[in-house]
Amino acid sequence: MSKSVLVINCGSSSIKFALLLEEQNFRIHGLAENLGTENARIKGVTVGNEPVDIHIPFADHKKALEVGLERLANYRPDAIGHRVVHGGSLTKAELINDEIIEKIREATPLAPLHNPAHLIGIEATKRLFPELPQVAVFDTAFHQTMPAHAYRYALPKFLYTAHGVRRYGFHGTSHAYVSERGSELAGSFKQGGWLTAHLGNGSSTCAVWNGKSVDTSMGLTPLEGIVMGTRSGDVDPSLHSFLAKNLGWDIYKIDKMLNSQSGLLGLSDLSNDMRTLIEASEQGNEDAALAIEVFCYRLAKSLAALSCGLPRLNGLFFTGGIGENSAYIREKTMTYLPHFGFSLDKNANNELKRGTEGRIDSGTGPQIWVVPTDEEGRIAREVQSVVELEVERNTAKKSQAEVMPA
Ligand code: ADP
């Protein structure tokens, strides 16, 4: 049994890490950023609640992990979990070995910014802790239960069979946690049909039937779907040829525009941050107001569409920085969704405190809940189950070998 799990989320120039101690009632967080540059630093590691800010000029991922973990010297992890964005066809968390590393590498064309960074993190922790079990937990894995009619694009078949062009979906760890926890709160653990709306800088929706993902808004990449901080979400696929033919843009420029200059930022021409936009809109900024309206309308449209994947609709869970904290966005979204009998309790919605779970419907239609996500906790639990299974397997092999000596 792993008593403490180090959860690592490695980006190209940053690492978020959290050490979760037994029964997850104690966590230590750290963020290493600007890696490889003069401004590389580690922030926020708190042992005994002491804030830390350490300057580590030109540190790479390994160095940053070394320095960060030195601060945790009294809390050595028993196992390590890596959040990996794209697992290709892998359907569950896996103990990391050469074969799994190769599979993560093979999925790189599908997540060119994320998977190479995860591999750097995996290499660094393998060198630092060669004796510890390491587990990869994939953002895509939860959605591997989608039926073909939800994951296939209407494109020539060979693009799917030979090149893996299909919808994968992301934020799986969050949708899995929130749908499980939410259905538990509703008294129907992993039963019935639920919609989840994970609304942060990246945002996506998911339809979950009896605890399994049956459809989601993100696709081949995390660009498809609803409006995000800087990502466009769905656009007409012909936009690419329009921009190429009329503005002479190449594919890299179009890609950058859709991923980094669009979404709330593109619409408002002001910010990708929802709080900033709500404040600006209250002060009369019309572009900010429109960005918020498009965000809520497209979110409602996505939820309505995903409900087609559910034989029955029990309710909806809001999560993520926006979903957990903004009563205003939740209310505005629900005004576009009267069709299924959804009815928001405005007082309950407004009174829900930051970071708390709670029900916010009026009790007459499908339920509406706010469920703060816990991706780290979920990753740690998956790591523990993989490690426990491995221990059981090894014990069984050993006792078999003792019964039948070679
Ligand atoms: P990430 O996807 O990077 O994990 P978060 O889940 O932390 O992001 O969500 C960040 C978003 O949440 C930002 O757009 C931020 O403005 C928004 N947010 C946080 N608190 C509030 C709030 N009280 N009202 C509206 N938006 C909020």
Side-chain angles (χ1 to χ4, degrees), residues 16 199-202 272-275 278 320-322 325-326 354:
K16 281 187 199 157
L199 312 173
N201 279 315
N272 63 328
D273 189 283
M274 187 57 95
R275 262 170 307 194
I278 294 173
I322 301 171
N325 298 313
S326 180
R354 242 189 130 88

Side-chain angles (χ1 to χ4, degrees), residues 75-385:
Y75 305 100
R76 213 180 139 68
D78 299 311
I80 299 178
H82 292 268
R83 175 199 175 217
V84 176
V85 163
H86 217 303
S89 57
L90 291 168
T91 56
K92 56 180 180 49
E94 296 280 358
L95 197 67
I96 295 177
N97 54 28
D98 291 347
E99 191 193 335
I100 296 300
I101 289 180
E102 201 39 46
K103 291 228 155 96
I104 297 173
R105 208 184 307 283
E106 278 168 18
T108 292
L110 298 165
L113 297 180
H114 294 100
N115 276 22
H118 302 323
L119 288 169
I120 292 173
I122 290 170
E123 276 313 313
T125 45
K126 273 179 73 179
R127 267 183 273 138
L128 281 173
F129 301 106
E131 73 290 0
L132 291 188
Q134 308 217 19
V135 174
V137 181
F138 303 100
D139 260 20
T140 46
F142 182 59
H143 302 299
Q144 284 291 312
T145 48
M146 284 195 287
H149 62 258
Y151 72 69
R152 282 290 295 276
Y153 289 111
L155 295 172
K157 188 175 173 184
F158 81 94
L159 287 174
Y160 167 63
T161 50
H163 303 285
V165 176
R166 52 160 284 180
R167 307 184 62 250
Y168 290 94
F170 299 85
H171 289 146
T173 307
S174 179
H175 290 299
Y177 170 78
V178 169
S179 59
E180 266 185 39
R181 176 67 190 145
S183 60
E184 185 181 22
L185 290 170
S188 52
F189 183 61
K190 290 172 98 174
Q191 291 302 310
W194 297 93
L195 296 167
T196 50
H198 175 108
L199 312 173
N201 279 315
S203 296
S204 67
T205 51
C206 183
V208 181
W209 176 247
N210 289 346
K212 294 197 162 103
S213 169
V214 290
D215 203 354
T216 188
S217 59
M218 285 177 166
L220 175 73
T221 73
L223 183 58
E224 186 178 333
I226 59 179
V227 173
M228 304 176 223
T230 62
R231 284 175 250 167
S232 63
D234 296 340
V235 292
D236 184 336
S238 292
L239 176 67
H240 294 69
S241 62
F242 176 90
L243 295 173
K245 284 179 199 154
N246 296 294
L247 278 69
W249 289 17
D250 65 21
I251 201 67
Y252 300 101
K253 185 163 176 165
I254 297 171
D255 222 32
K256 188 167 172 208
M257 180 273 290
L258 292 172
N259 277 290
S260 331
Q261 297 155 357
S262 299
L264 294 173
L265 174 65
L267 277 162
S268 67
D269 208 13
L270 175 69
S271 172
N272 63 328
D273 189 283
M274 187 57 95
R275 262 170 307 194
T276 309
L277 294 184
I278 294 173
E279 276 166 29
S281 150
E282 282 165 359
Q283 285 157 16
N285 183 319
E286 288 180 8
D287 290 328
L290 180 66
I292 294 168
E293 209 63 48
V294 176
F295 179 90
C296 295
Y297 175 65
R298 292 268 299 271
L299 167 60
K301 211 164 116 171
S302 170
L303 291 167
L306 286 193
S307 71
C308 295
L310 301 173
R312 186 179 74 241
L313 180 59
N314 290 56
L316 163 64
F317 304 125
F318 282 103
T319 196
I322 301 171
E324 292 166 29
N325 298 313
S326 180
Y328 177 68
I329 296 297
R330 295 192 298 257
E331 182 174 340
K332 200 175 251 313
T333 303
M334 296 320 293
T335 60
Y336 286 114
L337 277 173
H339 320 80
F340 307 97
F342 275 123
S343 163
L344 190 75
D345 177 335
K346 290 187 186 171
N347 288 333
N349 184 40
N350 288 329
E351 280 164 16
L352 201 77
K353 293 210 176 61
R354 242 189 130 88
T356 47
E357 303 169 325
R359 186 166 171 181
I360 55 169
D361 62 274
S362 61
T364 56
Q367 301 179 26
I368 313 172
W369 289 81
V370 176
V371 181
T373 194
D374 183 12
E375 289 170 281
E376 285 165 0
R378 170 87 190 187
I379 290 175
R381 275 195 297 283
E382 294 207 24
V383 169
Q384 285 171 334
S385 357

